[in-house]
Amino acid sequence: MNEWGTQPGETSGTGAEVGPKFNNETYLHFNKFIANVTKLFSLCITKSSQNHPLAKLWDIYDEHVPEWLEFERYLIDLDDILRPILEEESFISSFGRTYINIFNGTITVNTVDFSKVDELLALPEINPYNNSLHFKKANNSLRQLENNFAEISFLSKKTHANMVYILTDMEYNNIVLYFFNSSVSNTDFLNAVEPFHPTIFYFDEETPQTIIRPRHDVDNSKREISTKLLDGEGLYNNANGYLCSAGFWAMSRDEPMPLYIITAGHCINQTSHRNDFYYVPWNWDWNTTKSNLTYIGPMIFHNRDQNPDFSVIQVDGEDVFPSFAIRNTDNDQYKEFIITNDAPVSNQGVHICKSGYTSHFSCGFVKGLNGIFIREETYTSGLIVTDLHAERGDSGGPVMSFISPHDLNSVILHGIHVGGGAGLAVANSIEIIFKELEEESSIRRLEDLVLYLGNS
């Protein structure tokens, strides 16, 4: 039992399956609520009324965020019931996947065969919530999408595709390709995938890595001030001048010390025998400041093939304290967000946010859950694909979402930001990171890392 009532899939005393707490009456109430909020915004809106990131994302007043967040949770719970049903043999060729549309207050169900809609709505676990479903005409069934994605992924390797993101986007009900460098030839790949009719977008460039060259060598020998390092703040690599962002603190189940910071794998210099990282707070002035940077520690693990794209920094510096908070100090009311747990992302169309050194805190929507990025010989898969804003230097920063309408300062961590550009940002999930460490790390104490939540 949680704050939404009975969990999806839980059974009542009669044995009948019970779904989300809300029902069709909730749907009608929320749509009336949306209409009223829209009317209010058309009359008057002030900047001060939108302090919370979700108020800005959804373009609503702060006071309405809890109700919208609660309704999004209802749609997520319902979508979690619906998606496995659509994967069953009787429906997999008749429907595509789903995505959540908070503005319409519905789950959009991509529909190939409308004759199967009544059969779906008649199911006892779906019938009480049929007003929350919007059936949209579609050409590709779930089975076809899965086949097309597998074929296009295979062809991307066979034809040596380069500088491209590949994902299944349910709003387009299609495989979508994002190309980031027009000077790179992908003619063979495009010709090969033409029979699968992917949706294609072209952008000028992918966001490159930020490189900083301080006027003097970094020296931490005279540091005496201890600092709490928040997730989303800057990390400077003295080996190559790269600037990235701290993703999250981690600890071993068996050994409480030392602690570790997870960031993006491409932030390191693979040709250097040692990569030492230093703490860089937001709005650091590289041109005028004479203060020394605070030493954090060395990188002790990374994936050479960047799949997944992450690295582990061992915190040896004595002047940084751990935290399980995410920085948002541009906002006077919500300066920090507290991480309460970690969880996977399972739904398209839901909100998602990140914190990073360069662009700070931003939110957007989930566009895909199985993304692939290819650059030269690097092939990164299993990416969370979003449309949130990110810039160079944000790599490695935490990716999270809000979960409780009763505590708008708490978040659930999903992973770390690892790349993107031109309105597309991708993340590696925390479960993939920890799984990789468990299976591939040669350092025993890294095999059982968990998210640090102040329990060292």
Side-chain angles (χ1 to χ4, degrees):
M1 179 77 70
N2 62 14
E3 62 209 42
W4 317 112
T6 309
Q7 289 278 17
E10 195 173 351
T11 58
S12 67
T14 62
E17 188 172 87
V18 178
K21 179 181 177 181
F22 299 148
N23 52 25
N24 286 333
E25 183 178 349
T26 304
Y27 164 81
L28 296 173
H29 166 74
F30 187 76
N31 273 271
K32 182 178 180 180
F33 173 76
I34 290 177
N36 289 335
V37 171
T38 303
K39 183 178 180 180
L40 284 171
F41 264 75
S42 67
L43 296 174
C44 175
I45 183 168
T46 62
K47 186 176 181 179
S48 61
S49 67
Q50 291 182 308
N51 289 302
H52 196 274
L54 291 185
K56 297 175 182 178
L57 177 68
W58 291 333
D59 200 15
I60 59 176
Y61 290 118
D62 283 338
E63 64 191 84
H64 299 310
V65 169
E67 187 164 359
W68 278 57
L69 184 56
E70 186 172 14
F71 193 77
E72 186 189 56
R73 291 304 312 170
Y74 155 69
L75 293 175
I76 289 172
D77 287 347
L78 178 55
D79 193 40
D80 288 343
I81 294 173
L82 179 61
R83 285 184 290 106
I85 294 174
L86 297 181
E87 294 173 358
E88 295 175 1
E89 190 62 31
S90 57
F91 294 116
I92 194 170
S93 297
S94 301
F95 297 96
R97 280 204 184 275
T98 61
Y99 64 92
I100 290 172
N101 188 327
I102 187 66
F103 300 105
N104 290 342
T106 60
I107 296 172
T108 297
V109 185
N110 291 308
T111 307
V112 176
D113 183 0
F114 275 85
S115 69
K116 300 286 285 186
V117 170
D118 288 342
E119 181 182 343
L120 179 65
L121 293 178
L123 297 175
E125 57 267 54
I126 299 298
N127 182 260
Y129 316 103
N130 54 29
N131 279 342
S132 298
L133 304 180
H134 168 66
F135 294 90
K136 177 183 176 182
K137 182 175 176 57
N139 295 322
N140 294 318
S141 68
L142 176 56
R143 174 165 282 158
Q144 187 65 54
L145 286 170
E146 290 176 345
N147 177 72
N148 288 358
F149 185 82
E151 291 292 335
I152 290 174
S153 300
F154 170 75
L155 291 170
S156 71
K157 296 178 180 179
K158 182 178 180 180
T159 61
H160 305 286
N162 191 10
M163 294 300 293
V164 58
Y165 286 91
I166 306 171
L167 69 143
T168 306
D169 189 321
M170 289 307 143
E171 287 195 62
Y172 292 99
N173 188 51
N174 202 8
I175 312 304
V176 178
L177 309 179
Y178 290 88
F179 291 95
F180 276 91
N181 192 331
S182 57
S183 66
V184 174
S185 176
N186 280 287
T187 302
D188 291 344
F189 176 53
L190 287 169
N191 289 339
V193 302
E194 186 175 359
F196 303 101
H197 308 292
T199 301
I200 300 174
F201 295 98
Y202 293 92
F203 296 104
D204 289 336
E205 61 178 348
E206 191 216 7
T207 302
Q209 181 59 51
T210 298
I211 301 178
I212 300 294
R213 300 298 183 194
R215 295 180 176 180
H216 305 286
D217 290 338
V218 176
D219 177 18
N220 70 304
S221 60
K222 298 180 180 180
R223 292 292 303 182
E224 296 179 354
I225 301 175
S226 297
T227 304
K228 181 174 72 170
L229 195 158
L230 302 178
D231 301 348
E233 299 201 270
L235 303 175
Y236 172 74
N237 185 352
N238 200 34
N240 55 11
Y242 277 13
L243 185 63
C244 287
S245 299
F248 59 91
W249 288 75
M251 60 177 289
S252 170
R253 285 192 181 94
D254 298 330
E255 301 179 35
M257 296 298 288
L259 295 175
Y260 308 92
I261 293 174
I262 309 300
T263 188
H266 64 263
C267 296
I268 72 161
N269 182 351
Q270 295 197 34
T271 63
S272 176
H273 73 282
R274 185 178 176 95
N275 286 255
D276 282 309
F277 284 84
Y278 296 78
Y279 164 63
V280 184
W282 282 10
N283 304 316
W284 182 266
D285 189 343
W286 291 94
N287 294 316
T288 62
T289 184
K290 298 183 184 299
S291 300
N292 296 319
L293 296 178
T294 301
Y295 180 63
I296 298 173
M299 181 279 298
I300 61 170
F301 178 89
H302 78 284
N303 260 357
R304 292 188 179 276
D305 60 2
Q306 296 183 16
N307 189 23
D309 182 4
F310 77 97
S311 60
V312 180
I313 301 169
Q314 179 172 298
V315 181
D316 291 341
E318 298 179 354
D319 296 322
V320 287
F321 286 130
S323 75
F324 48 98
I326 294 171
R327 185 166 181 174
N328 184 39
T329 49
D330 293 342
N331 189 312
D332 291 335
Q333 186 170 341
Y334 298 95
K335 292 180 178 294
E336 296 179 8
F337 295 112
I338 305 302
I339 300 172
T340 60
N341 209 339
D342 61 272
V345 180
S346 302
N347 313 86
Q348 294 201 28
V350 296
H351 83 272
I352 195 164
C353 307
K354 75 98 187 65
S355 179
Y357 173 78
T358 304
S359 64
H360 296 180
F361 201 92
S362 62
C363 296
F365 299 96
V366 175
K367 302 289 291 180
L369 301 172
N370 60 343
I372 294 171
F373 175 55
I374 305 169
R375 173 162 52 182
E376 297 177 350
E377 300 303 317
T378 300
Y379 183 95
T380 308
S381 58
L383 295 168
I384 304 167
V385 186
T386 77
D387 64 0
L388 60 77
H389 175 72
E391 298 180 19
R392 62 186 72 179
D394 291 331
S395 291
V399 172
M400 82 299 296
S401 66
F402 297 89
I403 189 82
S404 172
H406 308 298
D407 183 3
L408 298 181
N409 287 291
S410 65
V411 295
I412 297 291
L413 185 73
H414 299 306
I416 61 172
H417 169 72
V418 293
L424 187 76
V426 298
N428 273 138
S429 68
I430 188 171
E431 63 266 29
I432 288 179
I433 291 172
F434 285 154
K435 182 179 180 181
E436 182 73 11
L437 285 171
E438 182 181 359
E439 296 177 351
E440 300 297 333
S441 174
S442 59
I443 304 174
R444 174 64 186 88
R445 64 183 184 276
L446 297 185
E447 294 177 5
D448 61 352
L449 282 194
V450 295
L451 175 66
Y452 172 80
L453 294 173
N455 48 353
S456 62

